[in-house]
Amino acid sequence: MNTFLSRANTIFAFTLSVLAALTFGCFITTAFKDHRKAVSIESTKALVKNVPNYSASREKNDLGFINFDIIADLNDIFNWNVKQLFVYLTAEYETINNKINQVVLWDKILRRGENAALDYKDLKAKYYFYDDGHGLRANKNVTLTLSWNIVPNAGTLPKVKAVGSYQVQFPDEYSSLQ
């Protein structure tokens, strides 16, 4: 005869197996969906200053100031397996010292049920845009790109890059505005 504990163990193991199969089914139904969307990004202002960076050293480094517009409709990305989106804007550029520089300028968390249509005008960068030298002044090839991480109920955490980017040209001279 089976004891109460062995029967409870059998039911528990079977329940976990069924839940694992359902979780895998949840993942596989949305695993191969294309989550890329077209976005529109434009810069309304780009300034560069030469200021001391007290967090690292007392040397003067370039500090960029960018205002930008973002238009994107991310509502179609949400399905029953998406909890939230972590949306962020990055600036990518090349300097003499570094082949690739990537800086996050702005981010936002969009939860399921919220309006995921982004329509921002003249938005300022949320984070400082420091360069570790003098690579922003007269840099004509700073690319702004919108990306997002999808936080699912079950499955992988994909990083998706939007279709569309914008090239920012920084001025040749440092700005003296406060």
Side-chain angles (χ1 to χ4, degrees), residues 157-172:
L157 185 74
K159 176 186 171 193
V160 181
K161 197 177 243 188
V163 177
S165 60
Y166 184 76
Q167 302 285 96
V168 177
Q169 297 182 1
F170 277 99
D172 296 335

Side-chain angles (χ1 to χ4, degrees), residues 13-150:
F14 178 72
T15 303
L16 283 181
S17 299
V18 169
L19 287 175
L22 289 174
T23 302
F24 180 75
C26 176
F27 157 70
I28 204 70
T29 58
T30 59
F32 303 108
K33 187 175 178 185
D34 185 19
H35 297 289
R36 291 178 295 169
K37 297 292 174 193
V39 300
S40 172
I41 305 169
E42 291 184 15
S43 174
T44 57
K45 179 173 107 175
L47 296 174
V48 64
K49 293 182 181 181
N50 195 341
V51 297
N53 183 0
Y54 294 111
S55 64
S57 66
R58 301 251 185 240
E59 294 179 20
K60 285 193 168 189
N61 294 326
D62 286 354
L63 175 62
F65 293 93
I66 295 181
N67 289 13
F68 50 89
D69 299 339
I70 297 176
I71 299 172
D73 186 9
L74 305 179
N75 284 311
D76 295 342
I77 295 175
F78 283 93
N79 56 42
W80 60 276
N81 193 27
V82 175
K83 275 196 240 182
Q84 66 184 21
L85 297 177
F86 178 70
V87 183
Y88 54 98
L89 182 76
T90 56
E92 188 173 313
Y93 60 100
E94 245 181 76
T95 60
I96 296 170
N97 296 339
N98 300 310
K99 182 73 175 161
I100 188 167
N101 296 284
Q102 290 181 323
V103 179
V104 174
L105 300 176
W106 174 86
D107 64 16
K108 183 170 179 64
I109 295 175
L110 300 172
R111 292 183 175 84
R112 184 193 340 232
E114 292 180 3
N115 186 10
L118 305 178
D119 189 6
Y120 295 115
K121 302 287 183 200
D122 204 33
L123 197 62
K124 290 181 171 54
K126 191 174 178 180
Y127 304 107
Y128 287 117
F129 187 6
Y130 267 111
D131 184 63
D132 62 345
H134 306 289
L136 289 179
R137 184 180 59 149
N139 194 328
K140 305 296 184 201
N141 195 17
V142 177
T143 305
L144 299 179
T145 306
L146 192 69
S147 303
W148 51 85
N149 289 100
I150 298 172

Side-chain angles (χ1 to χ4, degrees), residues 1-14:
M1 285 286 242
N2 292 336
T3 65
F4 172 76
L5 288 178
S6 65
R7 288 180 184 184
N9 185 32
T10 303
I11 291 172
F12 181 71
F14 178 72

